[in-house]
Amino acid sequence: MQASRARLFKEYKEVQREKSADPDIQLVCDDSNIFKWTALIKGPSETPYEGGVFQLAFAIPEQYPLLPPQVRFLTKIFHPNVHFKTGEICLDILKNAWSPAWTLQSVCRAIIALMAHPEPDSPLNCDSGNLLRSGDVRGFQSMARMYTRLAAMPKKT
Amino acid sequence: MGYDAMASAPASIPRDLAKKKRVNRTAKLKQCKLDARREQWLSQVNKDSKGSGSLTTTSPPPNPLLPQVKKTKLKKREERDRSSESVFLHEMSDSDTPSQCPSPHTSSNGRPISSSSSIGCSSRSISDPDEEETNHREEEEEEEEEENDVLDDWEAVADALTSSPNDQDIKFSSPIKTLTEPPVCHVTEQVDSVGSNMTQPVRAAPRAWRPDDAFRPQSLPSISKQLSFPSMNCHYGVGDQKGILSLPSSCPICYEDLDPTDSSFLPCLCGFRLCLFCHKRILEADARCPGCRKKYENVPGGTPVEANESVNPLPIWAARLSRSCSVNSRY
């Protein structure tokens, strides 16, 4: 408990210091609870998610960093490895491949990498996975782009 | 809701332009929101630790939340102490015996600083208690001028003044108790410094380790985290920063500095170093090296291990499969 708190404070300081180091990631800690973080990540370029800004919610267990943070998309995203309804992310480093050496920042980077390189063979979003597995890349991309537009970009006023 | 955005966008090139524009706007909006939030937060943090302005803007004090959580508790306690003090002084002013004044630190160490605080203490016990109280109030106001909840706390003080016969015990027991326990000695310091600061702005003496002391255990809470005098905060904040900067090699798990034992501790062949505490915690958990994810083996001596059969227990396809089971694994 105390160790996780100390570590999160250190990570917070790190994030503050290198705020501009990674322009695609904005990590913000909850005002009142250091075990709740929010991240804004930009969709990687040359993907259907380009131009979208996706919000992630981090719930950090007290055993952190021995246990991975629980991360999910708050923004709807059409991606084979992200549950469409809950936003749950299927990423090995958030499950059994977690290492205490990872940080929240590096988790964000890994999620951006996952957005750019979907793994259709372990889908949480079967529709999306099936599109990719059947080779309909164009169909997948247009669906993903549509949802990026709908959910991850500002609404037309 | 957003379908009109789709429908109204005509061709591909103008659509892209419009998209870019909108994207920029979202990004800006969100940025604004986040910036505002961050600034609000930072200003709260700055409130807690005044001084070292440039430092706090770039890297705020290590424990921004703790002071806020603790603040009310500490303040309450301080006030309870102070009010009980004044109750005590009411009684003491009859006898006028400075030797009985409650200053445990004067007896605990014979440094010159302690004498000054004892003078402050004795003069306090002689002087008029009401005047004393107002002095305290002024100090308090200077000290926490930016606090909004000061008034509430004054009400609490007033309450405590009228009805708290038991608090006397707390006053006497707390400094002694905290002196025996170095990690919580900040409470004593606050109580002491409120008193001694009046006669002489010397920082309170009874501290086991100075903040820049090399022997100060890393596990001790950084004093700058505690809500105390701004000047102290400034001092300690700088000390903390120096401590971190001068020792760049820190444990990648807990981010605490590695001491000499830790830096000579090499638990895994892959060369991933960590402090002994984290290593022990990991051994109690899944016992895999954070660097290479191999199993740690009989490592207590810190000797490198031969770990070849558990290099990667799962072939790649298995690792891939394991991803798919995530739906019902932990969520």
Side-chain angles (χ1 to χ4, degrees):
Chain A
M1 163 74 186
Q2 213 44 52
S4 59
R5 195 177 277 275
R7 152 105 179 208
L8 285 168
F9 279 128
K10 298 271 168 57
E11 282 197 35
Y12 168 72
K13 277 173 68 180
E14 198 83 4
V15 165
Q16 294 300 312
R17 196 165 57 222
E18 298 173 2
K19 214 181 290 178
S20 55
D22 203 333
D24 294 340
I25 300 172
Q26 277 191 26
L27 257 175
V28 181
C29 177
D30 190 279
D31 287 357
S32 58
N33 186 352
I34 197 156
F35 293 101
K36 300 264 180 243
W37 290 62
T38 309
L40 299 179
I41 56 175
K42 287 185 190 158
S45 58
E46 293 172 24
T47 67
Y49 312 107
E50 181 174 10
V53 174
F54 298 85
Q55 196 174 1
L56 300 169
F58 285 75
I60 291 147
E62 291 195 348
Q63 291 85 6
Y64 182 81
L66 294 191
L67 291 186
Q70 298 181 1
V71 191
R72 61 188 194 88
F73 271 94
L74 290 182
T75 310
K76 280 256 175 298
I77 180 172
F78 187 77
H79 187 283
N81 308 110
V82 181
H83 195 285
F84 191 69
K85 290 232 166 66
T86 65
E88 189 199 338
I89 303 168
C90 180
L91 183 57
D92 52 356
I93 64 142
L94 292 177
K95 310 285 181 257
N96 51 355
W98 167 257
S99 159
W102 288 83
T103 63
L104 299 183
Q105 186 90 18
S106 57
V107 166
C108 287
R109 276 189 213 115
I111 289 172
I112 290 178
L114 179 74
M115 285 166 81
H117 302 282
E119 288 272 352
D121 291 334
S122 60
L124 271 177
N125 183 338
C126 293
D127 294 338
S128 164
N130 286 339
L131 277 177
L132 274 183
R133 273 196 289 193
S134 63
D136 190 358
V137 176
R138 195 172 163 177
F140 162 76
Q141 287 190 342
S142 64
M143 283 287 278
R145 199 173 296 122
M146 183 188 81
Y147 279 111
T148 305
R149 235 164 208 282
L150 287 182
M153 294 190 192
K155 305 281 188 301
K156 198 187 172 196
T157 50
Chain B
M1 0 182 262
Y3 285 99
D4 51 348
M6 286 284 293
S8 64
S12 63
I13 300 171
R15 193 173 59 184
D16 277 349
L17 281 178
K19 190 173 95 180
K20 279 252 166 68
K21 220 182 247 175
R22 247 173 279 134
V23 169
N24 281 342
R25 222 175 44 202
T26 347
K28 257 183 211 164
L29 256 177
K30 290 221 170 174
Q31 181 114 24
C32 275
K33 263 189 216 163
L34 280 168
D35 281 352
R37 212 164 137 200
R38 197 174 290 134
E39 253 160 38
Q40 179 193 356
W41 186 19
L42 277 178
S43 69
Q44 281 175 356
V45 170
N46 283 337
K47 211 185 287 173
D48 287 338
S49 65
K50 296 179 207 166
S52 69
S54 61
L55 265 179
T56 48
T57 48
T58 52
S59 58
N63 204 341
L65 294 180
L66 192 59
Q68 291 182 3
V69 178
K70 276 193 167 181
K71 192 185 289 173
T72 48
K73 218 196 286 178
L74 274 176
K75 216 186 285 167
K76 282 269 157 58
R77 171 145 191 200
E78 219 175 305
E79 273 152 13
R80 218 177 348 151
D81 290 347
R82 202 175 302 126
S83 63
S84 62
E85 206 173 301
S86 68
V87 171
F88 170 75
L89 289 172
H90 271 292
E91 294 173 357
M92 285 304 292
S93 55
D94 296 335
S95 55
D96 259 355
T97 47
S99 61
Q100 288 179 25
C101 85
S103 58
H105 53 277
T106 52
S107 56
S108 66
N109 59 357
R111 290 200 206 149
I113 301 173
S114 67
S115 70
S116 75
S117 58
S118 81
I119 288 169
C121 203
S122 61
S123 71
R124 213 194 317 168
S125 66
I126 294 170
S127 66
D128 186 47
D130 290 333
E131 190 186 313
E132 204 61 39
E133 190 58 31
T134 54
N135 278 344
H136 280 313
R137 290 190 180 206
E138 281 165 15
E139 263 183 29
E140 175 93 17
E141 262 161 2
E142 283 170 11
E143 170 188 348
E144 295 164 351
E145 51 195 344
E146 292 174 38
E147 299 290 334
N148 295 328
D149 50 348
V150 172
L151 278 178
D152 296 344
D153 290 330
W154 288 125
E155 285 174 13
V157 172
D159 288 346
L161 273 175
T162 52
S163 63
S164 59
N166 296 336
D167 284 345
Q168 237 170 309
D169 302 337
I170 297 170
K171 163 65 184 171
F172 290 137
S173 61
S174 67
I176 294 165
K177 198 179 75 192
T178 49
L179 266 183
T180 55
E181 296 166 3
V184 281
C185 68
H186 58 271
V187 177
T188 339
E189 273 171 31
Q190 285 189 335
V191 175
D192 284 344
S193 51
V194 166
S196 62
N197 199 38
M198 290 172 39
T199 51
Q200 198 178 337
V202 175
R203 288 200 280 100
R207 185 179 308 122
W209 294 279
R210 277 176 294 120
D212 46 353
D213 199 329
F215 298 107
R216 187 173 186 274
Q218 286 299 324
S219 58
L220 272 192
S222 155
I223 304 178
S224 65
K225 293 174 196 167
Q226 320 298 341
L227 179 76
S228 52
F229 272 76
S231 58
M232 294 169 84
N233 267 338
C234 177
H235 181 90
Y236 290 160
V238 170
D240 263 3
Q241 292 300 325
K242 263 186 206 159
I244 287 167
L245 291 179
S246 64
L247 284 172
S249 59
S250 59
C251 170
I253 308 304
C254 61
Y255 285 18
E256 296 292 345
D257 294 339
L258 293 175
D259 66 19
T261 326
D262 293 331
S263 6
S264 60
F265 176 57
L266 193 58
C268 183
L269 261 187
C270 74
F272 187 87
R273 291 172 183 275
L274 72 174
C275 72
L276 287 161
F277 290 108
C278 291
H279 180 247
K280 183 168 180 299
R281 283 177 66 204
I282 288 173
L283 278 188
E284 286 163 358
D286 64 351
R288 288 191 297 164
C289 169
C292 58
R293 305 313 282 155
K294 293 174 201 159
K295 204 99 180 155
Y296 279 131
E297 283 162 31
N298 46 1
V299 275
T303 51
V305 250
E306 300 288 339
N308 19 14
E309 80 275 14
S310 60
V311 167
N312 193 352
L314 292 177
I316 293 165
W317 60 267
R320 271 197 182 171
L321 267 187
S322 64
R323 285 177 159 194
S324 59
C325 68
S326 59
V327 183
N328 33 16
S329 65
R330 193 165 279 139
Y331 282 82

